[in-house]
Amino acid sequence: MLLSVLAASLEEVAATSSRRAKAEVVAGVLRAAASGGADEREVVVRYLEGELRQRRTGLGWRSLADPPSPATEPVLEVLDVDTAMASAAVQSGTGADGRRRRLLQDVLAAATAPEQRLVAGLVSGELRQGAQRGVLVEGLALAAGVPAAAVRRALTLSGDVAEVAATALGAADPDAARSALAAVALRLGRPVSPMLAASAPSLAAALERTGTALVEWKLDGVRVQVHRDEQGVRVWTRTLEEVTARLPEVVAAVAALPARTLVLDGEVLALRRRGPDDEGTEASTGDAGGGSEVGTEAGTGAGAAPWRARRPAPFQQTSSRVATRRPGDPGGPAAAGADGTGSPDPLQLVLFDVLHRDGEDLLDAPQLRRREVLLDLAPDLAVPGVAGSAEDPAAAAALSAAALALGHEGVVVKAAQAPYAAGRRGAAWVKVKPRLTLDLVVLAVEHGSGRRRGTLSNLWLGARDPHGRFGPEGGFVMLGKTFKGLTDTMLAWQTERLRALAVADEGGVVRVRPELVVEIALDGVQTSPRYPAGLALRFARVLAHRPDKPAAEADVVEELERLHAAAAGPA
DNA sequence: TTCCGACAGTGGGGTCGCAAT
DNA sequence: ATTGCGACCCCACTATCGGAA
């Protein structure tokens, strides 16, 4: 298939806002690709959802500066691009960047203007055509003549778009496609798309949405899916990247469970080192839930699971461990102990779901049934949980209070009868986290892009620094940015207001007089290597503009330091 | 030779508008 | 009305390469 065919189609997709119309165009391309080879079809499928086939190429937005002038005639094949990217991906050592960029430049030089836009979008990961996996699924369904739900189901169970596309498009007719898709099942060694959670502002609101529920701690860690079969144990992240070699403690913990085959869902996190100061904490949280456990008496007590009484370490510590490659990892160090730093602190595995045990798939089993299986299988690794409902929320409230007192994020409320809805952010799981608010001052603002082009969007936020600890006396210290929470009306208002306050436009960043106060919601304050106070906002979003409030009444940096210290818990 | 900055690619994430239901 | 999806971009981390010290 010529790249120009794909490029023209994607321009068409970008030009309409109708989801249906986008899917129709996608379906047309898929039908055309069906006559080509399997390799080409896979590349077309990936490009339709806006991604290269290579997970890492070493090329990004920076490599796209100074593109050559576009070609006038379309000559490139879709596979030409894939070949170049595959070649870029395997470059290493001295001169690798140069060789990668030359490969990209050569492709761009042979591409017409629309083709250049497509390639640039794929390389930068920002195609922004209003079509990603969701639209691709609908297009696949149209092309194969099957319901979108059939494709979606197969995709969440296989986790592999190309494989599902081959299954759907390779069938002789719609009936055959339908049964081929229906035959896709959970398979050991192939991760499923993890179930995601919606969020609610309060426990009551969450219980209102779920009805009778299982309420569990929400931990601030990294999501893991663990499979165990006769070959051993393997571990994947939320985006289905395999991290088995990095998490030997997870492998060991699951290998020790009394089962032959397993698929588990959970979280890994770093815990604070235990010191003498923690003894009291542990004793006081012996019953971490305060309510009756679902399915067992001992589920929430520390008992054989001392981790339940330990405070979590900052997320950065967990992140660091999960991101560090180890022997056995692709690209990891060749041998153990070469750096002489010894073993890092182990991560704790905490489980909250079981999707398969010893030949039995549990995806469609009710939440409470899966909880029973989990508590039977791994009582010491199970996250604390209790039953809850809008009518009787006391136990759930106590569990939430206990989680927060220990320094965890909050709770997840799970509809008691819901199946494991792989890949969906449905209403069956609802997370509830406390929200902090601060009044901060806008120090600068960035020009918006995409649908925010022409507006002043991303706010640079600062707190008052009245003692001049991080700058001139009586000034402000920057703590982070946010573009979230703004309605179009708010966006228009702040654009006008900030233009009036502008003092300089420094290439994309408009400096303003520090006069506009904004009410900001955030999940917490974290240490920062980036900002002068050594602190940054976590998940900041705008709640409201406060033109009525003078900047002199905004929060001070010492308040953030207090919040940061409080998160670490009692000394 | 060693150090450091820039870039790429992971992890964590909230809220909006729009189309479809 | 509600839901699903894509867009909007955040901060943290590690790994890698290339050039400065």
Side-chain angles (χ1 to χ4, degrees), chain A residues 301-361:
Chain A
W307 65 265
R308 292 201 184 100
R310 290 175 63 186
R311 303 184 67 84
F315 173 75
Q316 281 125 312
Q317 219 165 301
T318 299
S319 175
S320 166
R321 258 304 312 278
V322 176
T324 302
R325 295 212 270 264
R326 296 167 58 112
D329 246 329
D339 57 355
T341 55
S343 298
D345 286 342
L347 294 174
Q348 177 66 45
L349 171 66
V350 180
L351 298 172
F352 51 71
D353 220 320
V354 50
L355 314 188
H356 173 101
R357 178 174 73 165
D358 288 338
E360 184 190 5
D361 284 348

Side-chain angles (χ1 to χ4, degrees), chain A residues 228 252-262 264 351 356-358 373-381:
Chain A
R228 170 175 166 188
V254 172
L257 295 177
R260 194 170 39 78
T261 61
L262 289 168
L264 304 163
L351 298 172
H356 173 101
R357 178 174 73 165
D358 288 338
V373 174
L374 178 63
L375 290 174
D376 175 59
L377 173 78
D380 298 337
L381 297 181

Side-chain angles (χ1 to χ4, degrees), chain A residues 389-537:
Chain A
S389 69
E391 296 72 35
D392 186 13
L399 182 94
S400 174
L404 293 172
L406 206 49
H408 295 300
E409 273 196 311
V411 292
V412 184
V413 180
K414 302 180 172 179
Q417 299 307 318
Y420 190 94
R424 315 304 296 279
R425 195 183 288 281
W429 286 8
V430 183
K431 56 188 162 187
V432 183
K433 299 193 281 186
R435 186 186 78 178
L436 304 174
T437 65
L438 290 170
D439 288 327
L440 300 176
V441 177
V442 179
L443 306 178
V445 61
E446 295 175 20
H447 290 284
S449 64
R451 70 179 297 278
R452 289 192 176 186
R453 178 167 296 281
T455 68
L456 295 177
S457 174
N458 195 16
L459 301 171
W460 292 25
L461 304 167
R464 285 166 55 216
D465 177 22
H467 307 299
R469 293 166 55 206
F470 306 105
E473 189 94 15
F476 300 89
V477 56
M478 184 170 172
L479 291 157
K481 309 179 189 180
T482 188
F483 56 90
K484 294 175 187 154
L486 298 165
T487 63
D488 285 1
T489 307
M490 291 164 76
L491 195 60
W493 185 88
Q494 81 173 26
T495 298
E496 192 174 337
R497 180 72 191 121
L498 292 170
R499 283 213 176 105
L501 294 177
V503 293
D505 192 334
E506 303 162 350
V509 180
V510 178
R511 304 266 169 192
V512 299
R513 292 202 303 276
E515 295 176 12
L516 177 61
V517 174
V518 284
E519 188 179 2
I520 296 294
L522 62 155
D523 277 19
V525 177
Q526 59 193 349
T527 60
S528 169
R530 177 185 307 245
Y531 292 115
L535 297 175
L537 311 171

Side-chain angles (χ1 to χ4, degrees), chain A residues 128-386:
Chain A
R128 292 180 188 170
Q129 56 185 340
Q132 296 182 347
R133 180 159 292 192
V135 171
L136 175 65
V137 163
E138 289 177 33
L140 264 172
L142 288 172
V146 300
V151 178
R152 201 172 290 123
R153 182 195 158 279
L155 182 54
T156 56
L157 289 173
S158 98
D160 185 338
V161 190
E163 187 182 326
V164 170
T167 303
L169 301 173
D173 57 67
D175 281 345
R178 206 163 172 166
S179 49
L181 289 168
V184 175
L186 175 67
R187 200 168 74 203
L188 291 166
R190 186 181 65 179
V192 306
S193 310
M195 183 167 178
L196 305 173
S199 64
S202 69
L203 191 54
L207 288 167
E208 195 64 43
R209 286 172 68 171
T210 59
T212 306
L214 168 64
V215 182
E216 299 173 343
W217 285 6
K218 183 176 191 318
L219 305 172
D220 191 12
V222 170
R223 187 85 175 263
V224 288
Q225 183 175 150
V226 191
H227 289 218
R228 170 175 166 188
D229 64 12
E230 288 76 8
Q231 272 76 55
V233 177
R234 296 175 69 184
V235 190
W236 289 267
T237 65
R238 192 166 80 91
T239 58
L240 311 189
E241 176 157 32
E242 183 164 7
V243 288
T244 305
R246 300 177 205 182
L247 301 174
E249 56 271 71
V250 172
V251 171
V254 172
L257 295 177
R260 194 170 39 78
T261 61
L262 289 168
V263 174
L264 304 163
D265 195 357
E267 195 97 355
V268 288
L269 75 165
L271 297 171
R272 283 184 189 278
R273 264 182 221 280
R274 220 191 315 213
D277 293 344
D278 287 337
E279 296 301 325
T281 308
E282 180 169 354
S284 68
T285 52
D287 176 7
S292 64
E293 168 57 48
V294 175
T296 181
E297 293 305 309
T300 57
W307 65 265
R308 292 201 184 100
R310 290 175 63 186
R311 303 184 67 84
F315 173 75
Q316 281 125 312
Q317 219 165 301
T318 299
S319 175
S320 166
R321 258 304 312 278
V322 176
T324 302
R325 295 212 270 264
R326 296 167 58 112
D329 246 329
D339 57 355
T341 55
S343 298
D345 286 342
L347 294 174
Q348 177 66 45
L349 171 66
V350 180
L351 298 172
F352 51 71
D353 220 320
V354 50
L355 314 188
H356 173 101
R357 178 174 73 165
D358 288 338
E360 184 190 5
D361 284 348
L362 296 161
L363 285 160
D364 294 323
Q367 185 75 53
L368 289 183
R369 162 73 183 141
R370 304 200 306 277
R371 175 76 181 174
E372 277 175 25
V373 174
L374 178 63
L375 290 174
D376 175 59
L377 173 78
D380 298 337
L381 297 181
V383 73
V386 297

